[in-house]
Amino acid sequence: GIVERAAAAKSFDSPSFAAGYALAAVPARYALERRAWKEAAGIALQPAFPWEKVPYAEAVVHFARAVGAARSGDVPGAQVDLARLAAIETALTGQPGFDWATQVKIQRLAATGWIARAEGKNDEALAALGSAADLEDSTDKHPVTPGAVLPAREQLGDLLDELGQPKLALAAYEASLKTAPARLNSLRGAVLAARQSGETARAKAFEADFAKLCSGSASPRARLEGPTASRR
């Protein structure tokens, strides 16, 4: 598959940002979308690639590792990658061209939120993820990147759901779907949050969107019920 092919790459005709982003984003997306937190925490940087030339691509791996470790309960491990995100953000601050520092800041804030959540500091977690979502909403993406590896507003919805606030979670998922349409996890989150909030009509509308998106899929992730319905 694509994940295995990316991991097997040993040499590059042009070690450009596009190549670095693909090498970082492919395993990060694959793990994070499946909520495979320990897998995300163990993602390794491709050793054959000159990451020092594209630290903003390297940041994607550290973001995935930090979130994966935090959501697996490994706070010390998450802190290591958080520190690297902070260092990359600092190094990029003030550089001409595209504002990569802000993109890395969004990742750092989100990772900070999940670390706070793992430490039981729920107010700090909400503040950090809320700030990440607001900042992401106010910034543009680089044309090479197809959007956030894991939308901050969706992450905020996941946190609100975990904290037993389905109405606010629903609002977060709905807002995320406006900027990142047809995302499986946001749709699933919206369905379950709407159900928990007693919003029957909205739940049915999201159920229809979810069913349409998953039409013909045999993946367990295409079901709303059962263990795969959990986003934790």
Side-chain angles (χ1 to χ4, degrees):
I2 294 175
V3 175
E4 290 75 18
R5 289 170 60 189
K10 302 298 181 185
S11 61
F12 307 90
D13 294 334
S14 176
S16 63
F17 165 64
Y21 181 80
L23 289 173
V26 166
R29 288 181 186 277
Y30 185 61
L32 294 173
E33 287 297 315
R34 290 159 42 243
R35 291 348 193 202
W37 306 126
K38 289 186 178 181
E39 180 180 322
I43 294 172
L45 286 166
Q46 166 56 267
F49 194 83
W51 296 103
E52 69 279 0
K53 294 183 178 180
V54 286
Y56 26 85
E58 177 190 340
V60 171
V61 170
H62 293 294
F63 164 69
R65 287 173 56 90
V67 172
R71 302 208 70 182
S72 300
D74 179 11
V75 171
Q79 291 282 10
V80 171
D81 286 286
L82 181 67
R84 180 57 186 153
L85 282 173
I88 292 174
E89 179 189 341
T90 297
L92 291 172
T93 299
Q95 288 194 5
F98 187 77
D99 184 10
W100 287 114
T102 295
Q103 299 300 314
V104 178
K105 182 178 182 179
I106 294 166
Q107 296 172 336
R108 176 180 62 77
L109 285 169
T112 297
W114 288 117
I115 290 171
R117 168 63 175 155
E119 294 176 326
K121 301 173 182 176
N122 293 332
D123 288 343
E124 292 182 19
L126 285 169
L129 276 164
S131 294
D134 290 344
L135 186 57
E136 188 166 85
D137 288 347
S138 69
T139 60
D140 293 325
K141 293 296 175 189
H142 190 279
V144 167
T145 67
V149 170
L150 191 61
R153 190 69 60 185
E154 179 181 283
Q155 293 181 73
L156 179 60
D158 290 347
L159 177 61
L160 288 163
D161 171 68
E162 289 189 15
L163 295 177
Q165 300 183 47
K167 289 185 180 295
L168 292 176
L170 177 58
Y173 289 128
E174 287 182 307
S176 182
L177 285 165
K178 289 179 181 178
T179 55
R183 277 188 53 79
L184 181 71
N185 289 318
S186 283
L187 282 172
R188 176 186 284 117
V191 170
L192 300 180
R195 288 177 179 174
Q196 293 162 11
S197 300
E199 299 278 358
T200 304
R202 291 163 81 186
K204 289 185 179 299
F206 283 119
E207 286 169 9
D209 290 340
F210 186 89
K212 182 178 180 180
L213 180 65
C214 297
S215 177
S217 174
S219 170
R221 297 179 68 233
R223 297 196 299 269
L224 284 167
E225 306 299 342
T228 57
S230 174
R231 297 171 303 287
R232 301 168 195 173

